[in-house]
Amino acid sequence: DQQVKQNSPSLSVQEGRISILNCDYTNSMFDYFLWYKKYPAEGPTFLISISSIKDKNEDGRFTVFLNKSAKHLSLHIVPSQPGDSAVYFCAASANTGNQFYFGTGTSLTVIP
Amino acid sequence: NAGVMQNPRHLVRRRGQEARLRCSPMKGHSHVYWYRQLPEEGLKFMVYLQKENIIDESGMPKERFSAEFPKEGPSILRIQQVVRGDSAAYFCASSALRDGGETQYFGPGTRLLVL
């Protein structure tokens, strides 16, 4: 039962352009969402989060958008850099629970 | 400020042996989570612990797996009588409150290979 879905396993973007990574969820109780970045052989690194009371959160080159009615969030990276090449996971949690539910990840490649 | 630490980073076991994975949370964090990542899959929640308490173990297999977080020392995930299907990356995370939610910070993981 995959409650958080990342339907694009991979994405390639030219350096300097915008990268848009998408994530959908099914549980309407989710109220906190996060994006993690993961390099091979390392643990996930926290990037940015958003609570359900907001629809946008920005941190430098990274912006997360939340569309609660569509149960959809996205991560925008602009401008994309080769060092951004990694696997990106979105995660969600509900205030009533302890678990974080992770998507299966999107592998981003930024082409120099 | 040291991050979440896990050891060993790599662990090789033969079928039937025991595997012990250790996790030290970030300084000041008292909440620990264990996740498992199988090849080509996302992270799957296993268990959530606070000091001396298992809060949620709904993601733990019913047999052979156990976890603890003693008053002193690291959290330990123990897998008894390992089988090949236990081969995976096991990640530990600890949490802090941030922006009204609870962000989890991950360790580098332990890669378990069962021969």
Side-chain angles (χ1 to χ4, degrees), chain A residues 2 32 34 36 38 41-44 46 49 89 98-100 102-104, chain B residues 9 33 35 37 42 44-45 48 58 91 98 102-104 106-108 111:
Chain A
Q2 192 71 25
Y32 189 61
L34 310 90
Y36 286 87
K38 185 180 181 302
E42 294 185 13
F46 170 74
S49 64
F89 291 96
N98 304 304
Q99 290 191 35
F100 273 37
F102 282 81
T104 52
Chain B
R9 293 292 303 273
Y33 306 78
Y35 291 84
Q37 185 182 23
K44 300 290 187 185
F45 169 81
Y48 163 43
S58 58
F91 293 98
R98 179 184 174 123
E102 188 171 320
T103 297
Q104 295 179 11
F106 283 82
R111 278 142 190 87

